[in-house]
Amino acid sequence: MNAYINSVIERVKKKYPEQPEFCQTVEEVLSSLEPVVERHPEYEKVDLLNRMVEPERMFTFRVVWQDDNGNWHTNTGYRCQFNGAIGPYKGGLRFQPNVNPSIMKFLGFEQTFKNSLTGLPIGGGKGGSDFDPTGKSDDEILRFCQSFMQALYRYIGPDVDVPAGDMGCGGREIGYLFGEYRRLKGVFENGVLTGKGFSYGGSLIRPEATGYGSVYYLENVLRDDGQDIKGKTIACAGFGNVTWGICKKATELGAKVVTLSGPDGYVYDPDGVNTPEKIAYLVTMRNSGRNKVQDYADKFGVEFFPGEKPWGVKVDICMPSAMQNDVHMEDAKKIAANHVRYYIEVANMPTTNEALRFLMDQDDIIVAPSKAVNAGGVATSALEMSQNSERLVWTEEEVDAQLRNIMNTIYKNSVDAAKRNGLGYNLVAGANIAGFERVADAMMQQGVF
Ligand code: GLU
């Protein structure tokens, strides 16, 4: 390993022993960059890598809200403005009890590379709160979102930082957040948030974009492997917005999603989550706030496996689409033993580094990294920003065509970057390198700070 890269990884690990997720992503990304860093000794001269692993700005704020019984609760809000070299900070807000500085920094770091890979002018950011939306009433969500925005509104803006949704933060929450921003600032700056409702500046296809984009990316992989998506079986995880989009697009293209998962276990539906009723039920389940996938098994009479993950199911394609570190070594071994050919990460960093290395080392498995596969979501957010600044509305066909085009370009740029650097067909390293190169170029041209 290149000595400079190694020193940065070691420094981060030593400095942040209490931030394991952040250390994990730094190690995964930087260890791909060896050929590029060796070709550019000037990077070390200006200490580019240590600058890249340090967020430009990160802050916490107090979020106080009242529940329906009149009791007050205090949560921590976060915004990590990781890297703004190529555009305003851009990235979602995650509302989940496990949100902490490590999760925020890992997501912000990944977002920086992902957003760069889209080729669009968006920097990397992430935010959220340790607030738990499970079981909260609509009024409680409203009060929480209003309080969250009362603290955040001074630090964001259409040319500054543009938050969006992430886990626990969907269209309803974005609506409440935007309403409060508008009330506080007295301006209709709808480019400040993405994932909005269509009536006030949201983009068509944005709700579907992450799932659709990941299937468009998958189509590229299959095509280069001489395969067709038609008839393929897919194991998904989660049952949120991303998995919903995958089910919709996979169904349209003749593939079948046969598993879903939740914190309570997984369901196996051998016929596929492929009827309008089943697909719509994913939205109902999410909106119920119960956070239980067993509801699907009860409703459609399929098998439910409490406390288990779907990675032992024999399928053609695995698409971990739930959360970080969902797939560990023991799961990876099951995937390899089942001769799953395509391991397509969808959630941010769904694989431990050890499991990812193991899967990449298998000759018969093709591995695609989340920062490329799920980039269609944030790319479509950038298209939403364009429509907002132009005061225009693009048709569904226009947005979908652009999304498909962006996903094809991301795939192609990743393949080319790996090849150019003598790494063969390596989609993981290719995405890291292509994402890095653009941010590195911009930082080099903007002087040292
Ligand atoms: N949270 C999503 C992501 O991780 C979307 C971010 C956005 O649209 O800004 O990319």
Side-chain angles (χ1 to χ4, degrees):
M1 171 72 70
N2 172 282
Y4 177 46
I5 293 182
N6 215 25
S7 75
V8 178
I9 295 174
E10 289 313 313
R11 181 186 146 262
V12 167
K13 281 191 188 164
K14 202 163 153 215
K15 187 165 172 188
Y16 301 109
E18 78 295 358
Q19 297 185 355
E21 292 85 1
F22 177 58
C23 294
Q24 182 181 337
T25 183
V26 165
E27 180 159 23
E28 193 274 309
V29 172
L30 295 197
S31 55
S32 299
L33 303 178
E34 188 152 20
V36 192
V37 170
E38 306 234 304
R39 224 177 23 251
H40 292 277
E42 69 275 21
Y43 290 170
E44 187 174 353
K45 287 213 183 78
V46 294
D47 204 17
L48 186 73
L49 295 184
N50 275 311
R51 287 157 55 202
M52 269 189 148
V53 298
E54 189 67 35
E56 288 182 12
R57 190 175 303 104
M58 170 149 155
F59 49 91
T60 67
F61 45 93
R62 184 168 62 203
V63 186
V64 187
W65 57 279
Q66 197 171 32
D67 69 24
D68 290 342
N69 300 319
N71 300 316
W72 291 97
H73 300 269
T74 305
N75 284 102
T76 308
Y78 295 85
R79 190 69 185 165
C80 174
Q81 299 178 331
F82 214 109
N83 193 306
I86 62 169
Y89 310 108
K90 180 84 198 85
L93 297 171
R94 178 172 292 191
F95 296 156
Q96 207 176 44
N98 70 1
V99 162
N100 61 30
S102 176
I103 304 264
M104 290 291 99
K105 279 174 70 180
F106 122 64
L107 289 166
F109 188 71
E110 283 279 299
Q111 197 85 43
T112 299
F113 289 79
K114 173 188 350 192
N115 292 3
S116 165
L117 201 50
T118 65
L120 300 167
I122 39 179
K126 204 80 190 192
S129 174
D130 57 358
F131 171 75
D132 186 359
T134 310
K136 298 292 183 296
S137 73
D138 196 56
D139 287 345
E140 289 170 335
I141 299 284
L142 171 65
R143 287 193 291 269
F144 172 79
C145 288
Q146 289 181 333
S147 181
F148 187 90
M149 187 51 86
Q150 278 160 26
L152 188 63
Y153 82 99
R154 309 167 195 276
Y155 308 107
I156 61 177
D159 295 316
V160 180
D161 181 357
V162 183
D166 196 83
M167 289 155 76
C169 180
R172 172 182 61 169
E173 288 74 14
I174 293 295
Y176 294 158
L177 290 164
F178 179 65
E180 189 63 16
Y181 180 87
R182 192 167 71 78
R183 175 157 75 171
L184 290 163
K185 291 207 77 172
V187 290
F188 191 86
E189 276 175 358
N190 61 354
V192 70
L193 288 164
T194 62
K196 299 180 292 292
F198 183 63
S199 56
Y200 64 99
S203 176
L204 293 168
I205 301 289
R206 177 64 189 90
E208 292 86 352
T210 311
Y212 279 20
S214 64
V215 177
Y216 294 153
Y217 184 100
L218 168 66
E219 282 190 300
N220 279 278
V221 174
L222 292 169
R223 186 203 54 232
D224 278 0
D225 200 34
Q227 295 285 321
D228 192 339
I229 190 164
K230 220 178 164 117
K232 295 276 186 296
T233 52
I234 304 174
C236 273
F239 60 88
N241 173 261
V242 177
T243 305
W244 167 77
I246 295 174
C247 291
K248 266 180 92 162
K249 186 52 79 177
T251 300
E252 190 188 311
L253 299 174
K256 246 184 1 191
V257 173
V258 294
T259 68
L260 305 168
S261 71
D264 53 334
Y266 83 90
V267 297
Y268 176 55
D269 184 349
D271 294 336
V273 186
N274 56 4
T275 63
E277 193 196 356
K278 285 177 177 176
I279 293 171
Y281 191 66
L282 300 190
V283 180
T284 311
M285 272 202 298
R286 180 157 28 102
N287 291 347
S288 78
R290 281 167 48 80
N291 207 12
K292 285 195 167 38
V293 79
Q294 186 179 0
D295 294 358
Y296 180 96
D298 293 347
K299 173 138 178 101
F300 297 106
V302 301
E303 245 185 307
F304 172 63
F305 298 85
E308 286 186 48
K309 290 177 179 179
W311 311 123
V313 177
K314 200 168 165 53
V315 287
D316 301 309
I317 303 159
C318 281
M319 296 182 86
S321 41
M323 68 184 106
Q324 68 275 2
N325 291 333
D326 190 19
V327 179
H328 293 248
M329 199 56 185
E330 70 263 23
D331 306 304
K333 283 188 176 149
K334 286 184 204 160
I335 290 168
N338 276 334
H339 298 288
V340 173
R341 171 82 173 146
Y342 308 99
Y343 182 77
I344 311 292
E345 291 189 332
V346 188
N348 294 309
M349 200 170 74
T351 325
T352 65
N353 281 359
E354 187 195 20
L356 184 64
R357 260 191 304 273
F358 170 82
L359 289 166
M360 288 173 70
D361 282 346
Q362 308 301 309
D363 285 340
D364 53 348
I365 302 184
I366 295 177
V367 178
S370 53
K371 68 173 67 66
V373 177
N374 74 26
V378 75
T380 307
S381 278
L383 302 180
E384 183 172 330
M385 290 162 69
S386 298
Q387 294 169 75
N388 296 156
S389 65
E390 290 181 24
R391 305 258 185 259
L392 285 177
V393 176
W394 299 344
T395 65
E396 194 171 318
E397 290 70 31
E398 282 172 306
V399 179
D400 196 33
Q402 290 212 43
L403 169 63
R404 194 185 271 267
N405 204 2
I406 291 166
M407 295 315 297
N408 294 346
T409 308
I410 289 173
Y411 175 78
K412 188 180 168 304
N413 288 348
S414 305
V415 172
D416 289 352
K419 237 188 243 156
R420 240 189 310 117
N421 285 283
L423 299 168
Y425 184 69
N426 184 336
L427 298 172
V428 176
N432 286 334
I433 292 174
F436 169 81
E437 284 179 330
R438 192 167 159 230
V439 178
D441 259 15
M443 288 177 74
M444 292 303 283
Q445 291 177 33
Q446 291 174 30
V448 182
F449 67 94

